[in-house]
Amino acid sequence: MTTEYYSNKREEVLRLIPKGARTVLDAGCWDGTFAALAKKELGAEVWGIEINADAAQKARGKLDKVIEGDISEAIKGLPDAKFDCIVFNDSLEHLADPYSVLEEAKKKLAPGGVVACSIPNMRYFPVLCGLVFRKEWRYTDTGVLDRTHLRFFTEKSIRETFEGLGYEVFELEGINGITTWKFNLLNILTLGLINDTRYMQFACSAKRRQ
């Protein structure tokens, strides 16, 4: 997996962090590029969790605190009711049990706190075409079929996952979409049935259900 994959600024996720957030956790922060941008834009205290030792060391020079370790275990040791926002920037799909992590995240959110995340879309049109028409399920270094992904999601299952865990989803938007006329025409001909397949990822924000 390339360094660029992790070091992208991801401004489409940055906007999901509440403007008034004073404490932010980036779970899977890599070298801290995204989290440092959040820190600069919001003036917030920003923590990170990162399993890669070299990346964690780089992040320490940018963030207020970095915990080196697996998200699934490291998040358990964080203070309860601490964070106004917890970010999972293309990291939930890398976890063996993202559901338990999201359960734990609820404890770490301050009152009114938000989870903001980007999650790959398993129904991405190129992936579907490979599976249905070419009979392929070929893992790659990056993208939806990244060989390090352990869990797979669709727009529908993202919403169901969060709601089933006691969250209220208040934004779920496709990002990095296909805009070609051929896809647009096919989408029209199928009465919008495949509209969700245009997006490589979905950006989602949710908070604990009251």
Side-chain angles (χ1 to χ4, degrees), residues 133-167:
F133 299 112
R134 297 191 297 275
K135 304 178 183 179
E136 292 177 351
W137 183 272
R138 186 173 297 164
Y139 288 100
T140 55
D141 290 334
T142 61
V144 176
L145 287 178
D146 183 318
R147 64 185 79 256
T148 64
H149 288 179
L150 301 178
R151 298 288 178 173
F152 299 95
F153 297 88
T154 65
E155 179 185 21
K156 182 178 180 180
S157 72
I158 290 170
R159 183 178 296 278
E160 289 177 344
T161 293
F162 276 93
E163 291 180 348
L165 292 171
Y167 286 88

PDB file of all heavy atoms in Angstrom, residues 133-167:
ATOM      1  N   PHE A 133     -19.321  -9.560 -14.567  1.00  0.00           N
ATOM      2  CA  PHE A 133     -19.074  -9.800 -15.986  1.00  0.00           C
ATOM      3  C   PHE A 133     -17.744 -10.491 -16.285  1.00  0.00           C
ATOM      4  O   PHE A 133     -17.628 -11.228 -17.261  1.00  0.00           O
ATOM      5  CB  PHE A 133     -19.143  -8.475 -16.757  1.00  0.00           C
ATOM      6  CG  PHE A 133     -20.485  -7.817 -16.667  1.00  0.00           C
ATOM      7  CD1 PHE A 133     -20.649  -6.631 -15.972  1.00  0.00           C
ATOM      8  CD2 PHE A 133     -21.602  -8.393 -17.256  1.00  0.00           C
ATOM      9  CE1 PHE A 133     -21.894  -6.023 -15.876  1.00  0.00           C
ATOM     10  CE2 PHE A 133     -22.851  -7.801 -17.166  1.00  0.00           C
ATOM     11  CZ  PHE A 133     -22.998  -6.615 -16.477  1.00  0.00           C
ATOM     12  N   ARG A 134     -16.727 -10.257 -15.423  1.00  0.00           N
ATOM     13  CA  ARG A 134     -15.423 -10.888 -15.671  1.00  0.00           C
ATOM     14  C   ARG A 134     -15.113 -11.995 -14.671  1.00  0.00           C
ATOM     15  O   ARG A 134     -14.044 -12.604 -14.720  1.00  0.00           O
ATOM     16  CB  ARG A 134     -14.318  -9.825 -15.648  1.00  0.00           C
ATOM     17  CG  ARG A 134     -14.459  -8.784 -16.753  1.00  0.00           C
ATOM     18  CD  ARG A 134     -13.213  -7.925 -16.874  1.00  0.00           C
ATOM     19  NE  ARG A 134     -12.957  -7.142 -15.666  1.00  0.00           N
ATOM     20  CZ  ARG A 134     -13.510  -5.953 -15.410  1.00  0.00           C
ATOM     21  NH1 ARG A 134     -14.361  -5.407 -16.283  1.00  0.00           N
ATOM     22  NH2 ARG A 134     -13.225  -5.300 -14.303  1.00  0.00           N
ATOM     23  N   LYS A 135     -16.024 -12.219 -13.730  1.00  0.00           N
ATOM     24  CA  LYS A 135     -15.884 -13.273 -12.719  1.00  0.00           C
ATOM     25  C   LYS A 135     -14.620 -13.097 -11.882  1.00  0.00           C
ATOM     26  O   LYS A 135     -14.006 -14.065 -11.446  1.00  0.00           O
ATOM     27  CB  LYS A 135     -15.883 -14.658 -13.378  1.00  0.00           C
ATOM     28  CG  LYS A 135     -17.107 -14.926 -14.233  1.00  0.00           C
ATOM     29  CD  LYS A 135     -17.034 -16.291 -14.907  1.00  0.00           C
ATOM     30  CE  LYS A 135     -18.224 -16.529 -15.812  1.00  0.00           C
ATOM     31  NZ  LYS A 135     -18.160 -17.843 -16.493  1.00  0.00           N
ATOM     32  N   GLU A 136     -14.262 -11.840 -11.635  1.00  0.00           N
ATOM     33  CA  GLU A 136     -13.029 -11.534 -10.917  1.00  0.00           C
ATOM     34  C   GLU A 136     -13.310 -10.991  -9.513  1.00  0.00           C
ATOM     35  O   GLU A 136     -14.258 -10.235  -9.300  1.00  0.00           O
ATOM     36  CB  GLU A 136     -12.213 -10.480 -11.682  1.00  0.00           C
ATOM     37  CG  GLU A 136     -11.636 -10.955 -12.989  1.00  0.00           C
ATOM     38  CD  GLU A 136     -10.906  -9.842 -13.715  1.00  0.00           C
ATOM     39  OE1 GLU A 136     -11.001  -8.672 -13.277  1.00  0.00           O
ATOM     40  OE2 GLU A 136     -10.245 -10.143 -14.731  1.00  0.00           O
ATOM     41  N   TRP A 137     -12.492 -11.374  -8.591  1.00  0.00           N
ATOM     42  CA  TRP A 137     -12.431 -10.776  -7.247  1.00  0.00           C
ATOM     43  C   TRP A 137     -10.937 -10.664  -6.943  1.00  0.00           C
ATOM     44  O   TRP A 137     -10.360 -11.514  -6.295  1.00  0.00           O
ATOM     45  CB  TRP A 137     -13.160 -11.642  -6.238  1.00  0.00           C
ATOM     46  CG  TRP A 137     -13.204 -11.065  -4.849  1.00  0.00           C
ATOM     47  CD1 TRP A 137     -12.289 -11.222  -3.867  1.00  0.00           C
ATOM     48  CD2 TRP A 137     -14.231 -10.235  -4.298  1.00  0.00           C
ATOM     49  NE1 TRP A 137     -12.658 -10.555  -2.733  1.00  0.00           N
ATOM     50  CE2 TRP A 137     -13.860  -9.941  -2.972  1.00  0.00           C
ATOM     51  CE3 TRP A 137     -15.417  -9.716  -4.793  1.00  0.00           C
ATOM     52  CZ2 TRP A 137     -14.633  -9.143  -2.136  1.00  0.00           C
ATOM     53  CZ3 TRP A 137     -16.195  -8.937  -3.958  1.00  0.00           C
ATOM     54  CH2 TRP A 137     -15.808  -8.654  -2.637  1.00  0.00           C
ATOM     55  N   ARG A 138     -10.340  -9.618  -7.491  1.00  0.00           N
ATOM     56  CA  ARG A 138      -8.887  -9.504  -7.476  1.00  0.00           C
ATOM     57  C   ARG A 138      -8.447  -8.395  -6.528  1.00  0.00           C
ATOM     58  O   ARG A 138      -8.745  -7.231  -6.728  1.00  0.00           O
ATOM     59  CB  ARG A 138      -8.389  -9.215  -8.896  1.00  0.00           C
ATOM     60  CG  ARG A 138      -6.876  -9.207  -9.054  1.00  0.00           C
ATOM     61  CD  ARG A 138      -6.509  -9.076 -10.525  1.00  0.00           C
ATOM     62  NE  ARG A 138      -6.990 -10.236 -11.286  1.00  0.00           N
ATOM     63  CZ  ARG A 138      -7.084 -10.238 -12.607  1.00  0.00           C
ATOM     64  NH1 ARG A 138      -6.780  -9.158 -13.312  1.00  0.00           N
ATOM     65  NH2 ARG A 138      -7.507 -11.326 -13.231  1.00  0.00           N
ATOM     66  N   TYR A 139      -7.723  -8.784  -5.488  1.00  0.00           N
ATOM     67  CA  TYR A 139      -7.236  -7.805  -4.524  1.00  0.00           C
ATOM     68  C   TYR A 139      -6.129  -6.952  -5.133  1.00  0.00           C
ATOM     69  O   TYR A 139      -5.364  -7.408  -5.982  1.00  0.00           O
ATOM     70  CB  TYR A 139      -6.753  -8.497  -3.254  1.00  0.00           C
ATOM     71  CG  TYR A 139      -7.878  -9.055  -2.420  1.00  0.00           C
ATOM     72  CD1 TYR A 139      -8.206 -10.410  -2.471  1.00  0.00           C
ATOM     73  CD2 TYR A 139      -8.634  -8.228  -1.594  1.00  0.00           C
ATOM     74  CE1 TYR A 139      -9.253 -10.932  -1.716  1.00  0.00           C
ATOM     75  CE2 TYR A 139      -9.681  -8.736  -0.830  1.00  0.00           C
ATOM     76  CZ  TYR A 139      -9.984 -10.084  -0.903  1.00  0.00           C
ATOM     77  OH  TYR A 139     -11.024 -10.578  -0.164  1.00  0.00           O
ATOM     78  N   THR A 140      -6.059  -5.707  -4.666  1.00  0.00           N
ATOM     79  CA  THR A 140      -5.100  -4.743  -5.200  1.00  0.00           C
ATOM     80  C   THR A 140      -4.353  -4.071  -4.048  1.00  0.00           C
ATOM     81  O   THR A 140      -4.619  -4.334  -2.876  1.00  0.00           O
ATOM     82  CB  THR A 140      -5.838  -3.679  -6.033  1.00  0.00           C
ATOM     83  OG1 THR A 140      -6.871  -3.079  -5.230  1.00  0.00           O
ATOM     84  CG2 THR A 140      -6.474  -4.313  -7.264  1.00  0.00           C
ATOM     85  N   ASP A 141      -3.406  -3.186  -4.398  1.00  0.00           N
ATOM     86  CA  ASP A 141      -2.637  -2.497  -3.370  1.00  0.00           C
ATOM     87  C   ASP A 141      -3.425  -1.365  -2.722  1.00  0.00           C
ATOM     88  O   ASP A 141      -3.176  -1.010  -1.566  1.00  0.00           O
ATOM     89  CB  ASP A 141      -1.337  -1.937  -3.964  1.00  0.00           C
ATOM     90  CG  ASP A 141      -0.354  -3.033  -4.335  1.00  0.00           C
ATOM     91  OD1 ASP A 141      -0.415  -4.119  -3.723  1.00  0.00           O
ATOM     92  OD2 ASP A 141       0.482  -2.806  -5.236  1.00  0.00           O
ATOM     93  N   THR A 142      -4.346  -0.772  -3.467  1.00  0.00           N
ATOM     94  CA  THR A 142      -5.176   0.309  -2.939  1.00  0.00           C
ATOM     95  C   THR A 142      -6.595   0.157  -3.463  1.00  0.00           C
ATOM     96  O   THR A 142      -6.871  -0.690  -4.310  1.00  0.00           O
ATOM     97  CB  THR A 142      -4.630   1.695  -3.379  1.00  0.00           C
ATOM     98  OG1 THR A 142      -4.655   1.767  -4.813  1.00  0.00           O
ATOM     99  CG2 THR A 142      -3.220   1.927  -2.870  1.00  0.00           C
ATOM    100  N   GLY A 143      -7.498   0.995  -2.955  1.00  0.00           N
ATOM    101  CA  GLY A 143      -8.857   0.994  -3.466  1.00  0.00           C
ATOM    102  C   GLY A 143      -9.791   0.102  -2.673  1.00  0.00           C
ATOM    103  O   GLY A 143      -9.462  -0.379  -1.586  1.00  0.00           O
ATOM    104  N   VAL A 144     -10.970  -0.141  -3.243  1.00  0.00           N
ATOM    105  CA  VAL A 144     -12.019  -0.897  -2.562  1.00  0.00           C
ATOM    106  C   VAL A 144     -11.556  -2.309  -2.233  1.00  0.00           C
ATOM    107  O   VAL A 144     -11.848  -2.840  -1.154  1.00  0.00           O
ATOM    108  CB  VAL A 144     -13.299  -0.933  -3.428  1.00  0.00           C
ATOM    109  CG1 VAL A 144     -14.362  -1.810  -2.767  1.00  0.00           C
ATOM    110  CG2 VAL A 144     -13.838   0.476  -3.645  1.00  0.00           C
ATOM    111  N   LEU A 145     -10.826  -2.931  -3.142  1.00  0.00           N
ATOM    112  CA  LEU A 145     -10.347  -4.303  -2.922  1.00  0.00           C
ATOM    113  C   LEU A 145      -8.908  -4.337  -2.435  1.00  0.00           C
ATOM    114  O   LEU A 145      -8.145  -5.265  -2.736  1.00  0.00           O
ATOM    115  CB  LEU A 145     -10.501  -5.128  -4.208  1.00  0.00           C
ATOM    116  CG  LEU A 145     -11.935  -5.529  -4.558  1.00  0.00           C
ATOM    117  CD1 LEU A 145     -11.975  -6.295  -5.870  1.00  0.00           C
ATOM    118  CD2 LEU A 145     -12.560  -6.361  -3.452  1.00  0.00           C
ATOM    119  N   ASP A 146      -8.547  -3.338  -1.659  1.00  0.00           N
ATOM    120  CA  ASP A 146      -7.245  -3.323  -0.983  1.00  0.00           C
ATOM    121  C   ASP A 146      -7.043  -4.658  -0.267  1.00  0.00           C
ATOM    122  O   ASP A 146      -7.916  -5.133   0.459  1.00  0.00           O
ATOM    123  CB  ASP A 146      -7.250  -2.163   0.018  1.00  0.00           C
ATOM    124  CG  ASP A 146      -5.942  -1.964   0.739  1.00  0.00           C
ATOM    125  OD1 ASP A 146      -5.319  -2.966   1.142  1.00  0.00           O
ATOM    126  OD2 ASP A 146      -5.553  -0.808   0.936  1.00  0.00           O
ATOM    127  N   ARG A 147      -5.887  -5.248  -0.459  1.00  0.00           N
ATOM    128  CA  ARG A 147      -5.638  -6.587   0.083  1.00  0.00           C
ATOM    129  C   ARG A 147      -5.599  -6.617   1.612  1.00  0.00           C
ATOM    130  O   ARG A 147      -5.644  -7.694   2.213  1.00  0.00           O
ATOM    131  CB  ARG A 147      -4.341  -7.165  -0.497  1.00  0.00           C
ATOM    132  CG  ARG A 147      -3.082  -6.419  -0.139  1.00  0.00           C
ATOM    133  CD  ARG A 147      -1.865  -7.019  -0.870  1.00  0.00           C
ATOM    134  NE  ARG A 147      -1.804  -6.570  -2.261  1.00  0.00           N
ATOM    135  CZ  ARG A 147      -2.150  -7.320  -3.304  1.00  0.00           C
ATOM    136  NH1 ARG A 147      -2.586  -8.544  -3.131  1.00  0.00           N
ATOM    137  NH2 ARG A 147      -2.055  -6.838  -4.532  1.00  0.00           N
ATOM    138  N   THR A 148      -5.519  -5.445   2.268  1.00  0.00           N
ATOM    139  CA  THR A 148      -5.516  -5.413   3.733  1.00  0.00           C
ATOM    140  C   THR A 148      -6.909  -5.197   4.322  1.00  0.00           C
ATOM    141  O   THR A 148      -7.054  -5.134   5.540  1.00  0.00           O
ATOM    142  CB  THR A 148      -4.564  -4.322   4.262  1.00  0.00           C
ATOM    143  OG1 THR A 148      -5.037  -3.035   3.856  1.00  0.00           O
ATOM    144  CG2 THR A 148      -3.150  -4.525   3.736  1.00  0.00           C
ATOM    145  N   HIS A 149      -7.921  -5.086   3.484  1.00  0.00           N
ATOM    146  CA  HIS A 149      -9.288  -4.917   3.990  1.00  0.00           C
ATOM    147  C   HIS A 149      -9.820  -6.250   4.524  1.00  0.00           C
ATOM    148  O   HIS A 149      -9.699  -7.285   3.883  1.00  0.00           O
ATOM    149  CB  HIS A 149     -10.220  -4.423   2.879  1.00  0.00           C
ATOM    150  CG  HIS A 149      -9.974  -2.999   2.495  1.00  0.00           C
ATOM    151  ND1 HIS A 149     -10.692  -2.360   1.502  1.00  0.00           N
ATOM    152  CD2 HIS A 149      -9.090  -2.081   2.969  1.00  0.00           C
ATOM    153  CE1 HIS A 149     -10.264  -1.113   1.383  1.00  0.00           C
ATOM    154  NE2 HIS A 149      -9.292  -0.920   2.262  1.00  0.00           N
ATOM    155  N   LEU A 150     -10.416  -6.173   5.696  1.00  0.00           N
ATOM    156  CA  LEU A 150     -10.979  -7.364   6.343  1.00  0.00           C
ATOM    157  C   LEU A 150     -12.502  -7.363   6.350  1.00  0.00           C
ATOM    158  O   LEU A 150     -13.120  -8.418   6.505  1.00  0.00           O
ATOM    159  CB  LEU A 150     -10.466  -7.464   7.784  1.00  0.00           C
ATOM    160  CG  LEU A 150      -8.947  -7.538   7.955  1.00  0.00           C
ATOM    161  CD1 LEU A 150      -8.596  -7.580   9.438  1.00  0.00           C
ATOM    162  CD2 LEU A 150      -8.373  -8.756   7.244  1.00  0.00           C
ATOM    163  N   ARG A 151     -13.101  -6.188   6.213  1.00  0.00           N
ATOM    164  CA  ARG A 151     -14.555  -6.052   6.208  1.00  0.00           C
ATOM    165  C   ARG A 151     -14.983  -5.218   5.007  1.00  0.00           C
ATOM    166  O   ARG A 151     -14.242  -4.353   4.550  1.00  0.00           O
ATOM    167  CB  ARG A 151     -15.044  -5.391   7.496  1.00  0.00           C
ATOM    168  CG  ARG A 151     -14.740  -6.187   8.759  1.00  0.00           C
ATOM    169  CD  ARG A 151     -15.609  -7.421   8.854  1.00  0.00           C
ATOM    170  NE  ARG A 151     -15.294  -8.208  10.044  1.00  0.00           N
ATOM    171  CZ  ARG A 151     -15.983  -9.258  10.443  1.00  0.00           C
ATOM    172  NH1 ARG A 151     -17.048  -9.663   9.736  1.00  0.00           N
ATOM    173  NH2 ARG A 151     -15.644  -9.919  11.520  1.00  0.00           N
ATOM    174  N   PHE A 152     -16.189  -5.463   4.528  1.00  0.00           N
ATOM    175  CA  PHE A 152     -16.682  -4.768   3.350  1.00  0.00           C
ATOM    176  C   PHE A 152     -18.066  -4.186   3.627  1.00  0.00           C
ATOM    177  O   PHE A 152     -18.878  -4.805   4.303  1.00  0.00           O
ATOM    178  CB  PHE A 152     -16.724  -5.722   2.151  1.00  0.00           C
ATOM    179  CG  PHE A 152     -15.368  -6.276   1.793  1.00  0.00           C
ATOM    180  CD1 PHE A 152     -14.955  -7.509   2.271  1.00  0.00           C
ATOM    181  CD2 PHE A 152     -14.506  -5.538   0.995  1.00  0.00           C
ATOM    182  CE1 PHE A 152     -13.702  -8.004   1.959  1.00  0.00           C
ATOM    183  CE2 PHE A 152     -13.254  -6.035   0.668  1.00  0.00           C
ATOM    184  CZ  PHE A 152     -12.843  -7.269   1.145  1.00  0.00           C
ATOM    185  N   PHE A 153     -18.313  -2.996   3.073  1.00  0.00           N
ATOM    186  CA  PHE A 153     -19.545  -2.267   3.358  1.00  0.00           C
ATOM    187  C   PHE A 153     -20.163  -1.714   2.077  1.00  0.00           C
ATOM    188  O   PHE A 153     -19.478  -1.483   1.084  1.00  0.00           O
ATOM    189  CB  PHE A 153     -19.262  -1.095   4.300  1.00  0.00           C
ATOM    190  CG  PHE A 153     -18.754  -1.494   5.660  1.00  0.00           C
ATOM    191  CD1 PHE A 153     -17.391  -1.660   5.880  1.00  0.00           C
ATOM    192  CD2 PHE A 153     -19.619  -1.692   6.716  1.00  0.00           C
ATOM    193  CE1 PHE A 153     -16.908  -2.012   7.131  1.00  0.00           C
ATOM    194  CE2 PHE A 153     -19.154  -2.046   7.970  1.00  0.00           C
ATOM    195  CZ  PHE A 153     -17.787  -2.210   8.182  1.00  0.00           C
ATOM    196  N   THR A 154     -21.475  -1.485   2.136  1.00  0.00           N
ATOM    197  CA  THR A 154     -22.202  -0.754   1.106  1.00  0.00           C
ATOM    198  C   THR A 154     -22.868   0.439   1.776  1.00  0.00           C
ATOM    199  O   THR A 154     -22.858   0.565   3.012  1.00  0.00           O
ATOM    200  CB  THR A 154     -23.276  -1.630   0.446  1.00  0.00           C
ATOM    201  OG1 THR A 154     -24.274  -1.955   1.447  1.00  0.00           O
ATOM    202  CG2 THR A 154     -22.685  -2.915  -0.121  1.00  0.00           C
ATOM    203  N   GLU A 155     -23.459   1.309   0.985  1.00  0.00           N
ATOM    204  CA  GLU A 155     -24.179   2.449   1.560  1.00  0.00           C
ATOM    205  C   GLU A 155     -25.234   1.959   2.558  1.00  0.00           C
ATOM    206  O   GLU A 155     -25.346   2.481   3.676  1.00  0.00           O
ATOM    207  CB  GLU A 155     -24.842   3.263   0.456  1.00  0.00           C
ATOM    208  CG  GLU A 155     -25.626   4.452   0.970  1.00  0.00           C
ATOM    209  CD  GLU A 155     -26.374   5.188  -0.121  1.00  0.00           C
ATOM    210  OE1 GLU A 155     -26.620   4.586  -1.195  1.00  0.00           O
ATOM    211  OE2 GLU A 155     -26.731   6.366   0.087  1.00  0.00           O
ATOM    212  N   LYS A 156     -25.982   0.944   2.164  1.00  0.00           N
ATOM    213  CA  LYS A 156     -27.044   0.423   3.025  1.00  0.00           C
ATOM    214  C   LYS A 156     -26.488  -0.193   4.302  1.00  0.00           C
ATOM    215  O   LYS A 156     -27.000   0.050   5.395  1.00  0.00           O
ATOM    216  CB  LYS A 156     -27.865  -0.610   2.258  1.00  0.00           C
ATOM    217  CG  LYS A 156     -29.036  -1.184   3.048  1.00  0.00           C
ATOM    218  CD  LYS A 156     -29.844  -2.171   2.207  1.00  0.00           C
ATOM    219  CE  LYS A 156     -31.015  -2.745   2.991  1.00  0.00           C
ATOM    220  NZ  LYS A 156     -31.799  -3.695   2.171  1.00  0.00           N
ATOM    221  N   SER A 157     -25.426  -0.972   4.178  1.00  0.00           N
ATOM    222  CA  SER A 157     -24.893  -1.658   5.362  1.00  0.00           C
ATOM    223  C   SER A 157     -24.169  -0.695   6.299  1.00  0.00           C
ATOM    224  O   SER A 157     -24.097  -0.938   7.506  1.00  0.00           O
ATOM    225  CB  SER A 157     -23.975  -2.812   4.960  1.00  0.00           C
ATOM    226  OG  SER A 157     -22.750  -2.348   4.432  1.00  0.00           O
ATOM    227  N   ILE A 158     -23.637   0.404   5.766  1.00  0.00           N
ATOM    228  CA  ILE A 158     -23.036   1.425   6.633  1.00  0.00           C
ATOM    229  C   ILE A 158     -24.108   1.993   7.558  1.00  0.00           C
ATOM    230  O   ILE A 158     -23.931   2.073   8.775  1.00  0.00           O
ATOM    231  CB  ILE A 158     -22.394   2.553   5.798  1.00  0.00           C
ATOM    232  CG1 ILE A 158     -21.148   2.043   5.075  1.00  0.00           C
ATOM    233  CG2 ILE A 158     -22.020   3.734   6.702  1.00  0.00           C
ATOM    234  CD1 ILE A 158     -20.594   3.017   4.041  1.00  0.00           C
ATOM    235  N   ARG A 159     -25.229   2.376   6.975  1.00  0.00           N
ATOM    236  CA  ARG A 159     -26.317   2.928   7.780  1.00  0.00           C
ATOM    237  C   ARG A 159     -26.829   1.892   8.789  1.00  0.00           C
ATOM    238  O   ARG A 159     -27.038   2.207   9.967  1.00  0.00           O
ATOM    239  CB  ARG A 159     -27.460   3.399   6.879  1.00  0.00           C
ATOM    240  CG  ARG A 159     -28.609   4.048   7.629  1.00  0.00           C
ATOM    241  CD  ARG A 159     -29.696   4.540   6.693  1.00  0.00           C
ATOM    242  NE  ARG A 159     -29.230   5.583   5.807  1.00  0.00           N
ATOM    243  CZ  ARG A 159     -29.141   6.864   6.153  1.00  0.00           C
ATOM    244  NH1 ARG A 159     -29.490   7.248   7.375  1.00  0.00           N
ATOM    245  NH2 ARG A 159     -28.718   7.762   5.281  1.00  0.00           N
ATOM    246  N   GLU A 160     -27.027   0.674   8.318  1.00  0.00           N
ATOM    247  CA  GLU A 160     -27.522  -0.385   9.205  1.00  0.00           C
ATOM    248  C   GLU A 160     -26.549  -0.671  10.341  1.00  0.00           C
ATOM    249  O   GLU A 160     -26.965  -0.933  11.477  1.00  0.00           O
ATOM    250  CB  GLU A 160     -27.790  -1.651   8.397  1.00  0.00           C
ATOM    251  CG  GLU A 160     -28.995  -1.552   7.478  1.00  0.00           C
ATOM    252  CD  GLU A 160     -29.206  -2.793   6.636  1.00  0.00           C
ATOM    253  OE1 GLU A 160     -28.260  -3.619   6.523  1.00  0.00           O
ATOM    254  OE2 GLU A 160     -30.307  -2.961   6.083  1.00  0.00           O
ATOM    255  N   THR A 161     -25.250  -0.629  10.041  1.00  0.00           N
ATOM    256  CA  THR A 161     -24.238  -0.878  11.074  1.00  0.00           C
ATOM    257  C   THR A 161     -24.317   0.157  12.179  1.00  0.00           C
ATOM    258  O   THR A 161     -24.397  -0.175  13.369  1.00  0.00           O
ATOM    259  CB  THR A 161     -22.834  -0.886  10.456  1.00  0.00           C
ATOM    260  OG1 THR A 161     -22.703  -2.013   9.587  1.00  0.00           O
ATOM    261  CG2 THR A 161     -21.760  -0.962  11.535  1.00  0.00           C
ATOM    262  N   PHE A 162     -24.310   1.429  11.797  1.00  0.00           N
ATOM    263  CA  PHE A 162     -24.340   2.482  12.808  1.00  0.00           C
ATOM    264  C   PHE A 162     -25.652   2.491  13.583  1.00  0.00           C
ATOM    265  O   PHE A 162     -25.651   2.590  14.816  1.00  0.00           O
ATOM    266  CB  PHE A 162     -24.090   3.843  12.144  1.00  0.00           C
ATOM    267  CG  PHE A 162     -22.632   4.148  11.946  1.00  0.00           C
ATOM    268  CD1 PHE A 162     -22.003   3.832  10.757  1.00  0.00           C
ATOM    269  CD2 PHE A 162     -21.888   4.735  12.948  1.00  0.00           C
ATOM    270  CE1 PHE A 162     -20.655   4.101  10.567  1.00  0.00           C
ATOM    271  CE2 PHE A 162     -20.543   5.012  12.782  1.00  0.00           C
ATOM    272  CZ  PHE A 162     -19.924   4.694  11.586  1.00  0.00           C
ATOM    273  N   GLU A 163     -26.756   2.367  12.876  1.00  0.00           N
ATOM    274  CA  GLU A 163     -28.044   2.391  13.562  1.00  0.00           C
ATOM    275  C   GLU A 163     -28.213   1.183  14.469  1.00  0.00           C
ATOM    276  O   GLU A 163     -28.786   1.282  15.557  1.00  0.00           O
ATOM    277  CB  GLU A 163     -29.171   2.471  12.533  1.00  0.00           C
ATOM    278  CG  GLU A 163     -29.211   3.814  11.804  1.00  0.00           C
ATOM    279  CD  GLU A 163     -30.314   3.912  10.772  1.00  0.00           C
ATOM    280  OE1 GLU A 163     -30.929   2.862  10.445  1.00  0.00           O
ATOM    281  OE2 GLU A 163     -30.578   5.025  10.290  1.00  0.00           O
ATOM    282  N   GLY A 164     -27.693   0.030  14.038  1.00  0.00           N
ATOM    283  CA  GLY A 164     -27.778  -1.174  14.857  1.00  0.00           C
ATOM    284  C   GLY A 164     -26.936  -1.098  16.120  1.00  0.00           C
ATOM    285  O   GLY A 164     -27.203  -1.810  17.094  1.00  0.00           O
ATOM    286  N   LEU A 165     -25.939  -0.217  16.102  1.00  0.00           N
ATOM    287  CA  LEU A 165     -25.060  -0.044  17.262  1.00  0.00           C
ATOM    288  C   LEU A 165     -25.476   1.134  18.143  1.00  0.00           C
ATOM    289  O   LEU A 165     -24.763   1.499  19.074  1.00  0.00           O
ATOM    290  CB  LEU A 165     -23.612   0.145  16.802  1.00  0.00           C
ATOM    291  CG  LEU A 165     -22.958  -1.087  16.156  1.00  0.00           C
ATOM    292  CD1 LEU A 165     -21.617  -0.709  15.540  1.00  0.00           C
ATOM    293  CD2 LEU A 165     -22.776  -2.199  17.179  1.00  0.00           C
ATOM    294  N   GLY A 166     -26.640   1.717  17.842  1.00  0.00           N
ATOM    295  CA  GLY A 166     -27.146   2.779  18.695  1.00  0.00           C
ATOM    296  C   GLY A 166     -26.704   4.179  18.302  1.00  0.00           C
ATOM    297  O   GLY A 166     -26.714   5.095  19.133  1.00  0.00           O
ATOM    298  N   TYR A 167     -26.328   4.356  17.054  1.00  0.00           N
ATOM    299  CA  TYR A 167     -25.986   5.672  16.541  1.00  0.00           C
ATOM    300  C   TYR A 167     -27.137   6.234  15.709  1.00  0.00           C
ATOM    301  O   TYR A 167     -27.948   5.482  15.156  1.00  0.00           O
ATOM    302  CB  TYR A 167     -24.758   5.604  15.630  1.00  0.00           C
ATOM    303  CG  TYR A 167     -23.429   5.404  16.327  1.00  0.00           C
ATOM    304  CD1 TYR A 167     -22.950   4.124  16.605  1.00  0.00           C
ATOM    305  CD2 TYR A 167     -22.636   6.492  16.675  1.00  0.00           C
ATOM    306  CE1 TYR A 167     -21.723   3.933  17.219  1.00  0.00           C
ATOM    307  CE2 TYR A 167     -21.402   6.314  17.279  1.00  0.00           C
ATOM    308  CZ  TYR A 167     -20.943   5.039  17.547  1.00  0.00           C
ATOM    309  OH  TYR A 167     -19.728   4.851  18.145  1.00  0.00           O
TER     310      TYR A 167
END
